[in-house]
Amino acid sequence: MNVKPASRMDLVQEYYFSTKLKQIAAMRASGIDVLNLGIGSPDLPPSAETISALATAAENPKNHAYQSYVGIPALREGFAKFYQNAYGVSLNPVDEVLPLIGSKEGVMHISMAYLEAGDEVLVPNPGYPTYRAASLLTGATVVDYDLSEENGWLPDLKKLAEKDLSKVKLMWVNYPHMPTGAKANRAFFEELRDFALANNILIVNDNPYSFILNDDPESALAVEGMKEVALELNSLSKSHNMAGWRLGVLVGKAEFINPVLRFKSNMDSGMFLPLQMAAVKALENPSSWFDELNAIYRERQQKVFEMMDLLNCQYDKNQSGMFVWAKIPANYQTGFELSDEILEKSGVFITPGGIFGSAGDGYIRTSLCAEVSVFEQAIGRIVSSLALSDEL
Ligand SMILES: Cc1ncc(COP(=O)(O)O)c(C=O)c1O
């Protein structure tokens, strides 16, 4: 047999973390106790009400059938209420809210619904790698837009507008931004809206981090007129500690959502009803729940700052999201070099910024998804390895 994978598979590689996790597993199997501070997978549980809603619903024998492609009305209403309360955005739960099996699948579905060979798509560098991979799989051409620390990790839209954008159909933005933790402001979103209108580009804001270490959660859709040019993805993975549940949402104008639904309805067969019922409960978490969550992340963030100080890395103290993004010291060429060294000498894995694009090369990203004691252990190991290299 000589069955070749489709040539489109040459355009993407195995996801970085998928390969890295294999390496970490191999190191652990050989007896090295690796502290993994790489991935942003919340280690804390969803609210107790959410879990008990799942358990109760799962016990009902009637709740195990296929579900509709658009989610149960209560879930769509739950997301609409959440958008109203959290961001002041009004959505029609009937056709402006599409529940997803995680927002990552939404990135692929949006790409499949809108992009094809000959189209161009604007992708942030650094940015979440899935925007690039999904775009390439559709045959579209990726056009990077560079983000820089000097510009607050916001795109320079004026400079971008000087380019030939005639083939650009879609632009991915993601604020609060992963991996840098940067926030956007109203003025930026207004400029983005005008840029989208002037250049006939559909904006998609990916917004899974607005509730983590952020006093002022914002939706791009809260800006007047934005709904005419933009869709927004959101997720319960980070904000509600439900990453493994696979619960996300796409919101915006029905006209923009409908092609995505057409594609998606050919891919999956709805979401497990008890998950949807529990998500309705999660969306009702009171603000005190988020306050408690953020107090935990704040304490962890302080530990990571300590760790970054030890490594002579520089960072902005005002970062949102569940990571610390830090600039590496000048004696390292790239974040890959520093990350490999810390893994080898201290058994601590920190993500090199370069996996998010070339503009992230001089940075590393540490996840806050571990207990304070783990960060303390990591700090202890780094202190010991630094002492050892001083002795050499
Ligand atoms: C910026 C960004 N968007 C989307 C996702 C995917 O989230 P979900 O679990 O909803 O698929 C992630 C996960 O790491 C992310 O960092």
Side-chain angles (χ1 to χ4, degrees):
M1 291 271 285
N2 182 16
V3 183
K4 282 198 187 129
S7 53
R8 81 172 70 87
M9 295 313 297
D10 298 338
L11 301 169
V12 291
Q13 283 162 3
E14 188 178 347
Y15 204 57
Y16 172 81
F17 284 118
S18 161
T19 342
K20 202 70 199 182
L21 286 178
K22 283 182 209 158
Q23 188 193 337
I24 291 173
M27 287 175 78
R28 283 177 174 159
S30 74
I32 305 168
D33 170 31
V34 178
L35 304 177
N36 184 353
L37 304 179
I39 297 183
S41 180
D43 55 314
L44 297 161
S47 68
E49 293 79 4
T50 306
I51 295 173
S52 97
L54 173 72
T56 309
E59 275 173 14
N60 185 338
K62 295 201 172 124
N63 286 351
H64 299 266
Y66 284 127
Q67 293 298 310
S68 94
Y69 299 101
V70 293
I72 56 172
L75 180 56
R76 280 182 276 122
E77 279 154 23
F79 275 121
K81 259 189 223 147
F82 179 77
Y83 255 74
Q84 186 69 61
N85 296 338
Y87 309 120
V89 171
S90 300
L91 296 167
N92 183 343
V94 176
D95 56 7
E96 293 187 331
V97 176
L98 177 62
L100 300 171
I101 305 174
S103 57
K104 189 173 182 181
E105 75 143 19
V107 175
M108 189 70 218
H109 293 350
I110 293 165
S111 303
M112 289 301 284
Y114 281 99
L115 300 171
E116 60 199 334
D119 292 334
E120 292 182 354
V121 49
L122 287 167
V123 165
N125 177 5
Y128 180 47
T130 301
Y131 310 137
R132 175 183 307 276
S135 304
L136 292 172
L137 286 170
T138 70
T141 303
V142 169
V143 179
D144 277 22
Y145 64 86
D146 282 350
L147 303 176
S148 67
E149 198 168 335
E150 297 71 47
N151 209 36
W153 303 107
L154 294 171
D156 184 340
L157 294 175
K158 284 187 191 72
K159 209 165 123 199
L160 212 51
E162 287 166 10
K163 287 189 172 195
D164 175 6
L165 300 175
S166 54
K167 289 191 185 148
V168 176
K169 215 186 231 180
L170 201 139
M171 176 178 186
W172 289 101
V173 289
N174 157 227
Y175 290 101
H177 183 246
M178 197 292 299
T180 68
K183 282 167 274 198
N185 51 40
R186 274 287 158 110
F188 167 73
F189 280 134
E190 284 168 7
E191 197 188 343
L192 185 66
R193 172 203 59 201
D194 297 345
F195 170 83
L197 262 180
N199 295 288
N200 196 38
I201 295 172
L202 177 64
I203 303 291
V204 188
N205 185 41
D206 182 17
N207 191 15
Y209 293 104
S210 65
F211 277 81
I212 312 291
L213 297 180
N214 181 16
D215 294 335
D216 186 21
E218 269 210 285
S219 158
L221 299 187
V223 169
E224 203 189 332
M226 195 61 132
K227 232 169 149 183
E228 297 308 311
V229 297
L231 285 168
E232 186 162 276
L233 283 171
N234 216 315
S235 169
L236 300 193
S237 292
K238 330 280 178 179
S239 54
H240 294 72
N241 292 337
M242 294 165 76
W245 294 49
R246 313 309 302 130
L247 274 156
V249 71
L250 177 65
V251 298
K253 228 168 116 162
E255 180 191 327
F256 292 148
I257 287 187
N258 286 340
V260 183
L261 172 60
R262 201 168 345 135
F263 179 81
K264 180 177 155 57
S265 63
N266 284 290
M267 288 294 102
D268 67 63
S269 302
M271 291 154 75
F272 184 43
L273 180 57
L275 280 181
Q276 298 193 58
M277 293 166 80
V280 172
K281 270 279 165 232
L283 286 165
E284 291 168 359
N285 283 353
S287 58
S288 57
W289 190 83
F290 294 100
D291 293 344
E292 280 168 33
L293 181 67
N294 280 307
I296 295 171
Y297 280 128
R298 279 255 171 254
E299 194 186 354
R300 295 173 175 186
Q301 192 187 42
Q302 287 306 320
K303 292 287 169 196
V304 178
F305 288 166
E306 236 178 87
M307 208 162 95
M308 293 302 109
D309 290 340
L310 274 173
L311 294 167
N312 281 325
C313 290
Q314 289 173 341
Y315 50 87
D316 180 352
K317 285 202 164 152
N318 185 25
Q319 301 189 25
S320 288
M322 48 177 46
F323 306 98
V324 170
W325 180 248
K327 190 173 187 158
I328 59 169
N331 54 322
Y332 290 89
Q333 294 285 316
T334 66
F336 286 99
E337 197 186 322
L338 179 57
S339 167
D340 285 346
E341 188 179 301
I342 304 168
L343 183 59
E344 190 193 320
K345 292 191 177 159
S346 311
V348 176
F349 173 60
I350 296 176
T351 306
I355 72 154
F356 304 104
S358 53
D361 261 351
Y363 297 81
I364 52 172
R365 189 199 75 169
T366 310
S367 164
L368 300 178
C369 299
E371 286 177 16
V372 164
S373 62
V374 175
F375 294 110
E376 284 169 347
Q377 216 183 325
I379 288 170
R381 287 186 188 189
I382 290 168
V383 169
S384 310
S385 82
L386 289 173
L388 211 66
S389 42
D390 275 355
E391 280 167 22
L392 296 175

